[in-house]
Amino acid sequence: ALINTSRKQTISNIVDIDLSREEDSVTSLAIASSTSSSVIAFAGINSSEKDQIAGKNEHFRSFRLEYPPKKRTDGRDVDGGAQEYKGQTAPLGRASLFKPSTGSKKETYQRITRLSRPCIVNGGQLGAIATGLAPEGEIVLFDAKTNGPMGPWVEARLSTGKGEAVDLDIIGLNDTEDVPPGTFTVAYCTDYVVHAFKMTLKQDKPPEPQYAYSEPHPDTFSSTSARSKLRSLRFITPSLLLMLQNRPDRQGADLLLLELSSHLNGRVISRKPLHKGIKSATALSVTHLPGFRHVSEHVVAVAGQDTSISIFTLEHSLNPPFKSVKLRLHTRLPSVHPLQITSLAFSTFVPPSEPEKSNLPQYLKLASTSIANTVVVHTLPLLPYPPSSPNSSRQRYVLTPPGRSESTQMTFSIIVATLVIAVSAFLLQAFVEIRGASPEYLGAKGWLSQRIHDYIAVPYVLGDHTSTSSTPTVIPSAPSSSASTAISSLTDQLSSSPSSFQQQATSTLPDIRRFVTDSPEKAKEAVSSALDAASSAALELNAASQAYSAKGSSTVSGAASAVSSEASSVISPASTKYHHIRDLISRHHHHRRHETPSPGKPIPNMIVHHDEESGHMKAGFHREGSGEAGKRFEELSHQEKEIWMERLQKAGVWAKEEGEAVLKGVFFGGAAQLVGQAVG
């Protein structure tokens, strides 16, 4: 059938050729030549079963199909008629070119029909057909410019033995090499091997195929011994061959570019895996988009077993060596047909010759067929390149504008991703420094004004001073382990049984004195840790104060006073660590962030009191409504804030760089029943 695809939205039949119902279906098809009024087609159609048994199989057929009359601008025929075009077809002839089959079953058919492009010099055109299901494979080469299938037109016969030709292609050499007119390169492949040879029309000697490529065997440690199989091949240039292969066990498919030397020895210079959804490929088609400056672009279409079509662009130099070959995916068309795709065919693109037509949209069409007898035509828009060239003769049309190669694009993507990660890490580090959640490495706190910093900053406290656990850390001492154990025992007793803490503290004070005398520095740290634990335990006990009697509460207070008084007798106030108030500030923020007030359990507030007589500061927690006197930091006057900040700064528990935001919510002022330690 001849189909009209001039409209993008619809396709219609123009000519239908009725074949005999006794004969086989069409197995292969190729267009030999065309004029303004008709086209000549070659096809492979087996004769009837009766004729094949009789040893007569005229499998090679030729037809002439006439075009419908052209339409005028008013939509009527050129001759003025309006009748529907019925179509005219004429069979030109039929012939049997293969050797008669010697098998018991007559199953040989014309599997492949391939024609070269007509030569520019003398118009010569070479054709080839190959057998399928034959006892011995055969390729027949013929002159495609003759009008009918007669004996003298057969140029050569090649035997492929038991391995039949899976696919073949032909390209003329007149346009690119200094060779005699009518010289062609022919390449064909079996399942695993590619052969190539050169020949001319009317040559005396038969061609001698040269070994060009073979699918490698898997290595010894491979899970399978099967090799990839070649499915199809097409010439890109006389020295560049595109091959389609299917991996074993339906594990995928690949496109391979094979560079042929002057002696037709090949080497793979590029490999392109197809989409992972394609387990095996079924068809391949290639077309050329004319170029200039020794650069050209081919469009490649590959059909997969999943009824999808992948379209690639192949940009390359016209002559070897092919160092800058770029095979890139243009698009993938999923689920084009209901069943498996059998063939693909591109239209021939001819650039506009008239300048006024160069501004019109240009298209490339791709037709596909399937075993469900469906035909689908896709229209692919082409782009002028360079797009803004003032000289239309210097423009060429491309499907995809030239760009960077995949390796260059991958390198560029990696560099961009690295920069994005580095900048993100830098900004994150700056953010956590400003928030106070990390030590300062970048000095990001100085990047903001004091007002903004006070609004978003959160105090950072070094790891040694941020512990909020109520379990103290006791530093052991080998010479005075009994004293260290005693302090630890006091701490545990305070947490578990406050009623007996005072008695326990009184009985262990002699050991503590000896420990202080032997190791004063370790004693300072141990006592400081014990006092921290006492403060934390008292805070927990205060939350459940209603469950304890007045006697129990006074016992806890007395026990803490006993330890504090005894420690003060051996450690001077000037040497006491100042980190306790900093630790309480951290706990203050912890309560504000993670606790929710309730009628029975209000959130405790931190209060700092300065003793004018001794010059010491005391810090602790109280709950709202407990009678504590004092003002929140934000309620203080400017002068009072300056005084308190100076005191805290001298004590080493606050720095100007931390901002005033860390002191918000802290009470300053009167002291009444503070639970905590004195910091001088």
Side-chain angles (χ1 to χ4, degrees), residues 166-292:
V166 176
D167 198 9
L168 64 85
D169 199 19
I170 310 169
I171 190 170
L173 303 181
N174 299 79
D175 304 335
T176 58
E177 296 185 9
D178 186 14
V179 295
T183 302
F184 301 87
T185 297
V186 182
Y188 70 91
C189 66
T190 59
D191 286 338
Y192 306 109
V193 181
V194 177
H195 292 88
F197 59 89
K198 296 179 181 180
M199 68 169 294
T200 59
L201 296 174
K202 311 302 181 182
Q203 71 178 21
D204 298 331
K205 296 181 180 180
E208 298 180 359
Q210 303 293 323
Y211 169 86
Y213 172 78
S214 176
E215 284 289 346
H217 290 270
D219 56 47
T220 307
F221 303 99
S222 177
S223 59
T224 178
S225 59
R227 290 193 287 172
S228 299
K229 289 187 176 182
L230 296 170
R231 180 63 182 85
S232 187
L233 56 79
R234 291 291 184 273
F235 274 108
I236 303 299
T237 70
S239 302
L240 194 61
L241 192 64
L242 180 67
M243 303 184 299
L244 177 63
Q245 72 168 16
N246 289 324
R247 302 174 198 166
D249 303 326
R250 296 174 63 86
Q251 295 180 356
D254 303 278
L255 284 172
L256 282 69
L257 278 172
L258 188 72
E259 183 179 1
L260 298 175
S261 67
S262 58
H263 300 288
L264 300 181
N265 296 321
R267 67 181 184 93
V268 176
I269 62 173
S270 180
R271 182 185 298 267
K272 179 73 173 182
L274 300 185
H275 189 272
K276 61 182 180 180
I278 298 178
K279 305 304 180 183
S280 63
T282 60
L284 172 70
S285 184
V286 177
T287 190
H288 175 238
L289 299 178
F292 62 94

Side-chain angles (χ1 to χ4, degrees), residues 426-437 440 442-458 656-661:
F426 177 82
L427 295 177
L428 180 61
Q429 177 63 27
F431 177 76
V432 297
E433 284 189 18
I434 295 173
R435 290 283 293 173
E440 288 195 50
L442 304 176
K445 289 185 177 180
W447 299 349
L448 303 178
S449 64
Q450 186 66 32
R451 181 179 180 183
I452 299 178
H453 178 271
D454 293 344
Y455 180 76
I456 66 175
V458 175
K656 288 184 178 181
E657 291 76 8
E658 298 181 63
E660 299 180 8

Side-chain angles (χ1 to χ4, degrees), residues 428-584:
L428 180 61
Q429 177 63 27
F431 177 76
V432 297
E433 284 189 18
I434 295 173
R435 290 283 293 173
S438 170
E440 288 195 50
Y441 298 106
L442 304 176
K445 289 185 177 180
W447 299 349
L448 303 178
S449 64
Q450 186 66 32
R451 181 179 180 183
I452 299 178
H453 178 271
D454 293 344
Y455 180 76
I456 66 175
V458 175
Y460 173 76
V461 183
L462 292 175
D464 293 340
H465 309 307
T466 56
S467 174
T468 57
S469 174
S470 60
T471 303
T473 301
V474 179
I475 303 176
S477 174
S480 306
S481 59
S482 60
S484 179
T485 305
I487 295 176
S488 178
S489 176
L490 286 176
T491 304
D492 296 339
Q493 187 69 22
L494 174 63
S495 300
S496 59
S497 180
S499 60
S500 60
F501 177 74
Q502 187 172 9
Q503 181 181 358
Q504 175 80 5
T506 305
S507 62
T508 57
L509 286 179
D511 291 334
I512 295 178
R513 290 191 183 95
R514 288 193 298 270
F515 176 52
V516 171
T517 303
D518 296 339
S519 303
E521 294 299 329
K522 293 183 179 180
K524 296 174 187 178
E525 297 182 7
V527 172
S528 178
S529 299
L531 293 177
D532 287 348
S535 177
S536 299
L539 178 63
E540 297 297 330
L541 292 173
N542 190 31
S545 58
Q546 295 181 358
Y548 289 93
S549 62
K551 180 180 180 180
S553 299
S554 61
T555 301
V556 174
S557 178
S561 299
V563 175
S564 179
S565 176
E566 187 63 28
S568 299
S569 65
V570 294
I571 302 175
S572 63
S575 62
T576 306
K577 299 290 185 181
Y578 286 108
H579 71 270
H580 185 64
I581 293 182
R582 180 182 289 273
D583 183 55
L584 294 180

Side-chain angles (χ1 to χ4, degrees), residues 56-75:
K56 182 182 179 182
N57 182 16
E58 297 175 322
H59 55 82
F60 189 89
R61 312 291 177 91
S62 60
F63 303 89
R64 176 184 286 112
L65 292 82
E66 295 182 356
Y67 298 146
K70 294 182 179 180
K71 298 289 184 178
R72 299 188 310 193
T73 56
D74 59 1

Side-chain angles (χ1 to χ4, degrees), residues 351-421:
S353 57
E354 301 178 11
E356 59 272 12
K357 293 184 179 180
S358 61
N359 295 327
L360 298 177
Q362 302 296 320
Y363 300 96
L364 181 69
K365 294 187 177 182
L366 173 64
S368 57
T369 61
S370 73
I371 60 176
N373 294 327
T374 54
V375 178
V376 176
V377 178
H378 289 89
T379 301
L380 308 175
L382 300 178
L383 304 174
Y385 182 83
S388 59
S389 176
N391 187 359
S392 60
S393 62
R394 306 298 295 174
Q395 279 188 333
R396 61 188 177 103
Y397 286 87
V398 297
L399 185 63
T400 302
R404 293 183 292 264
S405 63
E406 290 190 359
S407 58
T408 304
Q409 183 65 36
M410 179 64 70
T411 303
F412 178 77
S413 300
I414 293 175
I415 293 175
V416 171
T418 303
L419 291 176
V420 170
I421 294 173

